[in-house]
Amino acid sequence: MSGTTLANGPLAVFGGTFNPVHYGHLRSALELVEKLGLDELRLMPCAVPPHREQPGCSAQHRAAMVELAVAGEPRLSCDRRELQRDGNSDSPSYTYDSLAELRAELGGKRALCMVVGCDAVRDIGSWHRWRELLDLAHIVVIARPGWSLPADGEVGSWLRDHAMDAVPNLCERPAGGILTQELRPLDISSTEIRELLASGRSARYLMPQSVLEYIQAHGLYR
């Protein structure tokens, strides 16, 4: 397929706990849509993260906040599949399973991208079936100031062997490449927002007002 463009533009998924979603997530998502020429980017809340402590805020609340945050931007959406898989909210949310479902839905020709932060890539060797992720999708790594990707070991070799050096290459094949992208740095963290809210201070202008009003209405993060 090299040198050809697929009939439909790439679809990307951006997973995370989104606890809560904020402008850092949203601005990164929108920049990726425009820089990569994506048809759509889906924010995919994780129900039970395999590699971190279970969030104190329920997956249903976190997904509802993502839906509020992306309302009005047609290129962004919320994908709830990890909340609904097998009807079991206690099962770990494995990225491989979500990508396999998406690949089955998209067929074998359309480009699919998984967006991850470079901090997550440093631990990717512990992920479920991590070597097989590239059979299903491209990986787009968000470069963050002060972070570097692994250069040694099995993960370092894997990153070098599959590196892509240009955005147009995403459309030449449906999966298999790793592309690093530098985005506008927005120093906002969900941890900081939770701490602000727990101490009774304002988180205004760190997230959409609709999300802040949802948090207040449901008494979250107190």
Side-chain angles (χ1 to χ4, degrees), residues 34 45 210:
E34 295 184 339
S210 58

Side-chain angles (χ1 to χ4, degrees), residues 38-91:
L38 303 175
D39 275 359
E40 180 187 0
L41 187 147
R42 300 180 185 178
L43 282 74
M44 188 167 62
C46 176
V48 182
H51 303 291
R52 62 171 63 183
E53 185 179 350
Q54 175 69 7
C57 181
S58 76
Q60 295 296 334
H61 277 314
R62 290 183 281 111
M65 288 187 282
V66 169
E67 289 172 346
L68 287 170
V70 300
E73 174 45 69
R75 296 169 293 180
L76 302 181
S77 64
C78 177
D79 191 319
R80 284 179 170 254
R81 73 182 60 241
E82 294 196 350
L83 283 64
Q84 301 163 343
R85 184 173 296 127
D86 296 331
N88 186 354
S89 61
D90 296 326
S91 299

